[in-house]
């Protein structure tokens, strides 16, 4: 294979070749024209550092190979220095090391997997206020970005297309943007997690063929303009011993312009915090644990497949005139209960719970 060691002082570095390539230390310096672009149709191995640091512009690092294996740090900009990082595997897999970027990070393994041999080791760090991350695998592939030391800038939007995604992050709030997953999506964060982003016609929607699971510290909340179609189930709860408020209420926002929201079976654990859930069609409640629980179905029925435990109140409401509410689990623990709307409603509760019905 080729071995490339390339250095400039603030200019562009570009290589377009064939066969396997090993990257030596490659530095484009600092400046508006500093960039690194490496393309080959063979395997690309990054065992040494690659860096390009922009100013107002520049700082792009772009790597393309049949497979890309990274074991050393790639830097595209940094704190206060413009830059981006893009890694593309045209026919196979990506293995990531440490990545530092001021703006976007793109990991495109649309024909394969990302970190399939072992969980993510290198940490991803982003800085810019408009930073975003785009992750792609094949429709049957998986992306493992599960290193809890990842440090994505506050407000970072992560977009995913492919099979399965596992994502972890440190103590900054992040959002899941446009998602088209045939499998499961799992997010663990050390702060808040937003689901969906954008407004009006620019809203970013979420489609998950399996389960969408989110664990957060402070809050889990949907974007009021984003549509959801989660086929497997929605699992929301705390990261560790946290008490995140859970608010998934987009189906009831913006009147006739409200997005369509369907979740599958919902499990929500506020761990001592409030939970609000709304769905366009039928709603099936799994395990619920909250201080106050408020659930709404605009056009369908509300049923449950596991118990509800609330310390303050439980409220269930349906919008359809012929809809029903059936909370039949005999282990339910209600302090107070309100069932509203539809043609028929019923509930069971454990014998150890004092319940006021309205």
């Amino acid at each position: 294979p080729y071995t490339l060691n390339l250095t400039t002082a603030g200019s562009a570095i570009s290589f377009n070749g064939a066969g396997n390539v090993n990257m030596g230390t490659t530095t484009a310096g600092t400046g508006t024209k500093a960039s690194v672009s490496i393309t080959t149709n063979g395997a690309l191995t990054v065992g040494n550092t690659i860096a390009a640091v922009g100013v107002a512009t520049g700082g792009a690092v772009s790597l393309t190979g049949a497979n890309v294996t990274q074991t050393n740090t790639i830097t595209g900009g940094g704190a206060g220095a413009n830059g981006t990082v893009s890694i593309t595997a045209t026919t196979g897999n990506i293995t990531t090391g440490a990545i530092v970027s001021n703006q976007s990070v793109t990991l495109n393994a649309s024909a394969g997997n990302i970190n399939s041999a072992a969980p993510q080791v290198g940490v991803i760090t982003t800085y810019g206020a408009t930073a975003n991350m785009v992750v792609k695998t094949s429709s049957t592939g998986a992306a493992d970005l599960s290193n809890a030391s990842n440090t994505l800038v506050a407000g970072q939007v992560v977009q995913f297309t492919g099979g399965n995604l596992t994502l972890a992050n440190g103590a900054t709030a992040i959002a899941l943007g446009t998602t088209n997953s045939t499998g499961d999506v799992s997010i663990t964060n050390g702060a808040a997690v937003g689901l969906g982003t954008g407004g009006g016609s620019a809203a970013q929607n979420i489609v998950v063929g399996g389960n969408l699971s989110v664990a957060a510290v402070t809050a889990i909340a949907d974007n009021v303009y984003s549509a959801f179609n989660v086929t497997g189930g929605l699992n929301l709860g705390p990261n560790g011993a946290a008490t995140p408020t859970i608010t998934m209420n987009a189906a009831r926002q913006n009147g006739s312009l409200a997005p369509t929201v369907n979740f599958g079976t919902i499990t929500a654990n506020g761990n001592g915090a409030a939970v609000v859930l709304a769905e366009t069609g039928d709603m099936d409640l799994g395990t619920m644990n909250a201080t106050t629980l408020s659930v709404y179905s605009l056009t369908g029925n509300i049923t449950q497949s596991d118990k509800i435990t609330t310390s303050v109140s439980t409220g269930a409401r349906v919008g359809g005139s012929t809809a029903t509410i059936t909370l039949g689990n005999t282990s339910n623990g209600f302090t107070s209960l309100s069932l509203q709307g539809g043609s028929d409603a019923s509930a069971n509760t454990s014998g150890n719970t004092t319940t006021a019905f309205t």
Side-chain angles (χ1 to χ4, degrees):
Y2 297 96
T3 298
L4 301 178
N5 295 276
L6 305 170
T7 302
T8 69
S11 297
I13 294 173
S14 179
F15 173 85
N16 193 332
N20 299 336
V21 174
N22 293 331
M23 295 302 301
T25 300
T26 301
T27 304
T30 301
T32 58
K33 296 182 179 179
S35 65
V36 176
S37 177
I38 307 296
T39 300
T40 183
N41 62 4
L44 178 60
T45 302
V46 181
N48 296 279
T49 58
I50 296 178
V53 179
V55 185
T57 59
V61 176
S62 177
L63 306 176
T64 301
N67 300 280
V68 181
T69 302
Q70 177 204 352
T71 59
N72 215 318
T73 302
I74 298 174
T75 301
N82 196 73
T84 61
V85 173
S86 176
I87 302 174
T88 300
T90 55
T91 60
N93 302 326
I94 293 173
T95 300
T96 63
I99 296 172
V100 177
S101 175
N102 178 262
Q103 296 296 321
S104 66
V105 174
T106 300
L107 304 174
N108 183 359
S110 58
N113 305 279
I114 299 172
N115 296 324
S116 58
Q120 178 199 11
V121 176
V123 171
I124 299 174
T125 303
T126 57
Y127 290 99
T130 60
N132 63 83
M133 184 159 70
V134 177
V135 181
K136 296 180 180 181
T137 71
S138 72
S139 61
T140 57
D144 187 302
L145 301 174
S146 61
N147 192 323
S149 295
N150 287 330
T151 307
L152 306 181
V153 68
Q156 174 118 60
V157 176
V158 180
Q159 301 173 325
F160 177 66
T161 301
N164 302 291
L165 170 66
T166 304
L167 173 68
N169 184 55
T172 53
I174 60 173
L176 181 65
T178 299
T179 298
N180 288 285
S181 166
T182 60
D184 298 330
V185 174
S186 176
I187 300 172
T188 303
N189 197 41
V193 175
L195 297 174
T197 188
S201 61
Q204 298 187 30
N205 303 320
I206 294 175
V207 177
V208 177
N211 297 313
L212 173 58
S213 303
V214 180
V217 169
T218 55
I220 301 170
D222 57 2
N223 173 52
V224 299
Y225 298 100
S226 294
F228 291 79
N229 186 9
V230 180
T231 304
L234 180 68
N235 306 306
L236 308 175
N239 181 358
T243 57
T245 58
I246 297 172
T247 307
M248 301 293 292
N249 203 30
R252 299 180 69 234
Q253 303 298 308
N254 301 312
S256 62
L257 299 178
T260 299
V261 175
N262 291 302
F263 290 134
T265 299
I266 308 170
T267 297
N269 179 10
N271 200 28
V275 174
V276 178
L277 304 169
E279 195 164 356
T280 303
D282 289 339
M283 173 179 281
D284 183 47
L285 303 177
T287 303
M288 297 282 141
N289 186 347
T291 51
T292 61
L293 173 66
S294 301
V295 297
Y296 306 86
S297 173
L298 273 68
T299 64
N301 305 313
I302 297 177
T303 58
Q304 69 175 145
S305 52
D306 210 330
K307 70 177 181 179
I308 296 170
T309 304
T310 54
S311 60
V312 177
S313 64
T314 300
R317 183 171 183 173
V318 290
S321 61
T322 61
T324 61
I325 301 171
T326 307
L327 305 181
N329 192 303
T330 56
S331 296
N332 288 330
F334 304 124
T335 303
S336 68
L337 176 66
S338 173
L339 306 177
Q340 300 181 33
S343 62
D344 185 60
S346 62
N348 287 326
T349 183
S350 68
N352 298 322
T353 305
T354 301
T355 307
F357 293 91
T358 60

